[in-house]
Amino acid sequence: MLDRLFYEDRDVLLQDLHTVALLGYLGVLFVLALLFSHPLYLLAVLAAGALGVAAAGALEKWEFYLKFGLWMALLIMVLNPLVFHAGKTVIWQAGPVKVCLEAVCYGAAMGVRLLAVLTVCCLGSATVHPDKLLALFSRFAYKSALVAALATKMLPAAARDLANAREVLQVRGVDFEAGSFREKLKKHSWLFDILLVSSLEGALQIAEAMQARAFGSGPRSCYRRELARPRDAVCLAASLLALALSAYAKASGSGDYTYYPRLAPLADGSSLILLLGILLALSVPAILSWGWKHWPCLRSKI
């Protein structure tokens, strides 16, 4: 199950983008998810993120994130009306406890924001190659990038070792679901003993490999082979356009929404046009990915 949280090579356009262009796209999605409070704009950011996840071929990974996110969103929707009573439209009341329509809608909007943020995180874990990311940041923070590189390598390896150890013990007749709580705890402690030994062996192998490559013996060399191509310029320009339109929507008040004391009208004509423009700009990487996959001519040109 933990393997779903890490990067997998799927040969899709989003994974083939320049790291700066990809981080720009993900950063704009993340900022917009936190910037807007209008429910339609939050839904647009969530929809754009979902399109990106589908273009990255990571729907199975997204399902794993949604299982957690939907429960959290539901919890927000339930708790917010119970603790905040500033709304004027009461839909249920029992003594001093009342539930207002405005609080329910605000909780639902915050649930959508949570899902949008989780979707961006899912998209980032599915498309950003850890080595490319750390190679980019190693130019500015060499030691921190080294520690992060070792950590990102260790976590998938630890998850894989844990799954292998569990499978080997099950083949040898260990049933992790049988017995009392104390017996189950003892069986799972065997897994962590094996994981500790394999992690120490892995650390020793990494140290030997770094020493064999003369790590720390002199000035660090750097070889750059990540090229900037037309696809990167298109995706980065679309992300910046979406950010500019969002800044205008926020400045003009179209991206804000009044929940209390009564719900404001959802949107007027100009606000919907602005919303459509932001959604189209955010969807450009996903649309380009679809064309890159189905049209070899486009794939060769970008």
Side-chain angles (χ1 to χ4, degrees):
M1 183 180 294
L2 290 176
D3 292 342
R4 298 179 184 180
L5 298 176
F6 305 119
Y7 177 89
E8 297 176 56
D9 192 2
R10 298 179 184 273
D11 190 27
V12 294
L13 180 136
L14 289 179
Q15 291 182 338
D16 203 41
L17 288 177
H18 192 282
T19 307
V20 173
L22 182 56
L23 289 180
Y25 169 56
L26 295 172
V28 168
L29 279 174
F30 185 78
V31 168
L32 297 192
L34 299 180
L35 180 68
F36 291 125
S37 58
H38 197 295
L40 292 183
Y41 282 76
L42 289 174
L43 283 172
V45 175
L46 176 60
L51 283 176
V53 169
L59 289 176
E60 186 181 355
K61 186 191 293 284
W62 192 42
E63 182 183 352
F64 178 79
Y65 279 79
L66 284 182
K67 285 180 181 176
F68 166 76
L70 285 174
W71 281 110
M72 290 300 297
L74 185 62
L75 185 63
I76 295 172
M77 287 181 62
V78 171
L79 287 182
N80 188 63
L82 294 178
V83 299
F84 200 69
H85 308 134
K88 295 294 184 183
T89 310
V90 179
I91 56 177
W92 181 80
Q93 185 167 8
V97 179
K98 63 179 181 180
V99 175
C100 302
L101 176 64
E102 293 80 7
V104 173
C105 293
Y106 184 79
M110 295 304 104
V112 174
R113 170 178 288 173
L114 174 64
L115 292 178
V117 170
L118 287 177
T119 300
V120 176
C121 293
C122 171
L123 184 57
S125 67
T127 55
V128 179
H129 195 293
D131 291 343
K132 291 182 180 179
L133 178 66
L134 297 169
L136 177 66
F137 284 103
S138 65
R139 300 168 193 170
F140 315 105
Y142 167 57
K143 293 182 179 179
S144 301
L146 174 63
V147 173
L150 293 177
T152 54
K153 292 286 185 185
M154 183 188 69
L155 289 176
R160 187 173 56 250
D161 291 343
L162 188 63
N164 291 338
R166 184 183 181 93
E167 187 175 351
V168 168
L169 289 177
Q170 284 176 329
V171 170
R172 292 184 177 183
V174 177
D175 186 356
F176 289 94
E177 305 301 327
S180 62
F181 176 76
R182 187 174 181 179
E183 291 172 342
K184 290 180 182 178
L185 192 63
K186 184 179 180 181
K187 293 173 185 174
H188 283 85
S189 69
W190 297 342
L191 288 176
F192 289 100
D193 289 343
I194 297 171
L195 183 63
L196 177 62
V197 173
S198 62
S199 298
L200 291 175
E201 290 178 350
L204 183 60
Q205 291 173 357
I206 291 174
E208 290 175 346
M210 293 172 67
Q211 186 179 23
R213 296 181 181 184
F215 179 80
S217 61
R220 179 173 174 268
S221 59
C222 179
Y223 173 62
R224 295 176 58 187
R225 63 177 180 179
E226 192 175 11
L227 301 176
R229 288 163 288 195
R231 69 189 71 164
D232 305 312
V234 172
C235 292
L236 192 57
S239 301
L240 293 177
L241 176 62
L243 186 62
L245 291 174
S246 302
Y248 177 76
K250 192 68 180 176
S252 63
S254 300
D256 294 324
Y257 186 74
T258 303
Y259 292 90
Y260 300 104
R262 292 189 184 277
L263 297 176
L266 268 180
D268 53 16
S270 60
S271 180
L272 287 178
I273 293 174
L274 202 55
L275 174 63
L276 183 61
I278 294 172
L279 180 58
L280 285 176
L282 290 176
S283 304
V284 166
I287 297 171
L288 203 63
S289 178
W290 183 86
W292 188 78
K293 183 178 180 180
H294 292 88
W295 296 337
C297 178
L298 178 64
R299 183 169 182 159
S300 64
K301 290 186 180 300
I302 64 172

